[in-house]
Amino acid sequence: MNQGPVNPAGDYVVYWMISARRLGWTFGLQRAVDHAVALGKPLVILEALRCDYPGANDRLHQFILDGMAVNQRHAARSRALYYPYVEPSLGHGHDFLPTLAANAAVVVTDWYPAFFLPRMVAAAAARLTVRLEAIDSNGVIPLADHGKAFTAARFYRAFVQRVLREHVTQVPEEAPLTRLKKSPQLSSLPRSVTRRWPAASARLLTDGVKPLSALPLDHTIPPVAARGGHDAAARALRRFVTAKLSSYD
């Protein structure tokens, strides 16, 4: 995403998780692990949540926070340092990534072509002096390979039938963090970073509406009973495949 080099003298590799918010089956995290292993560096996973995305409200925020709590729990079993950051006020996290990247060997993030994410990644790329890579984990066929928008479903089906064979065997790893077994491990980020941008508390990630009330969000749209995160998604997928798929028209 920029012309910055990989810096072999950097202290760590950063995976900036912005859309593929999971710790498995994602080419972005897999690429970050590749860098960490090749360079012999610790891996830092930064999962950040800003407060000014379009439509920001308690319901969406809580759904994402659910996922962050799951990711924190799973990452604790690996040698990666997972850092959940939830912006407490508008613009508070503006300098966080450039500051973290100043001591990084390389930064890897998710490539997603919609919402506000392309503008955010482009703005970050312009500020980083180290290489920023963005990796597509949106589906079996990379979105960039589509080349155009399809005006009818039948045109898209024809495209998929034509190119699927090229991509269907390229499946991301289920658990890429297991390859960090021999990699160095960070116990924490520098104190100068953690003081300015504290990690989200366990209370914020798990206690629901009360801590959300302190954030600059739309509080008229409350959380719902459905939980967010990889574990809940996996359960929904299993229910669909084992119990619902056979009767799905």
Side-chain angles (χ1 to χ4, degrees):
M1 302 303 296
N2 61 4
Q3 298 302 312
V6 173
N7 176 19
D11 295 332
Y12 41 71
V13 170
V14 174
Y15 174 52
W16 179 30
M17 180 186 290
I18 60 173
S19 67
R21 292 177 178 260
R22 56 188 184 270
L23 296 181
W25 307 113
T26 163
F27 285 116
L29 177 57
Q30 184 172 316
R31 174 67 169 170
V33 170
D34 289 344
H35 278 303
V37 171
L39 295 168
K41 304 291 183 183
L43 177 63
V44 175
I45 300 173
L46 170 62
E47 185 173 11
L49 179 57
R50 58 195 293 171
C51 60
D52 64 341
Y53 57 87
N57 60 58
D58 288 357
R59 182 173 302 173
L60 296 179
H61 235 60
Q62 184 59 59
F63 200 76
I64 299 170
L65 292 174
D66 288 343
M68 294 173 79
V70 172
N71 288 339
Q72 185 176 52
R73 188 166 66 249
H74 286 288
R77 300 197 289 265
S78 76
R79 295 186 66 79
L81 171 62
Y82 174 80
Y83 200 84
Y85 170 72
V86 178
E87 195 174 44
S89 58
L90 186 63
H92 185 273
H94 181 67
D95 293 325
F96 189 1
L97 181 67
T99 302
L100 190 62
N103 295 316
V106 60
V107 179
V108 179
T109 192
D110 305 313
W111 186 84
Y112 187 78
F115 207 33
F116 66 95
L117 297 182
R119 297 192 305 276
M120 182 176 74
V121 172
R127 298 186 66 194
L128 300 192
T129 57
V130 72
R131 178 184 293 178
L132 173 62
E133 299 180 346
I135 310 296
D136 185 339
S137 285
N138 298 295
V140 176
I141 302 171
L143 291 182
D145 277 13
H146 290 58
K148 63 177 181 180
F150 294 89
T151 56
R154 64 188 179 92
F155 299 145
Y156 183 66
R157 283 196 297 269
F159 166 77
V160 170
Q161 291 162 3
R162 186 169 65 252
V163 305
L164 182 60
R165 190 180 297 274
E166 303 169 25
H167 300 288
V168 74
T169 58
Q170 299 180 47
V171 178
E173 298 171 13
E174 180 179 4
L177 293 182
T178 59
R179 289 196 285 116
L180 296 175
K181 288 180 180 177
K182 296 182 179 179
S183 298
Q185 185 176 17
L186 279 181
S187 58
S188 66
L189 293 179
R191 188 161 176 77
S192 58
V193 172
T194 60
R195 276 200 308 262
R196 187 172 174 186
W197 298 283
S201 66
R203 178 173 175 267
L204 176 58
L205 295 183
T206 60
D207 280 4
V209 176
K210 186 174 287 188
L212 287 175
S213 64
L215 301 178
L217 307 170
D218 179 355
H219 301 301
T220 65
I221 305 176
V224 293
R227 309 305 295 180
H230 176 273
D231 291 356
R235 288 193 295 271
L237 177 61
R238 283 194 296 271
R239 284 197 301 272
F240 177 73
V241 171
T242 59
K244 299 182 178 181
L245 182 58
S246 59
S247 61
Y248 187 65
D249 290 343

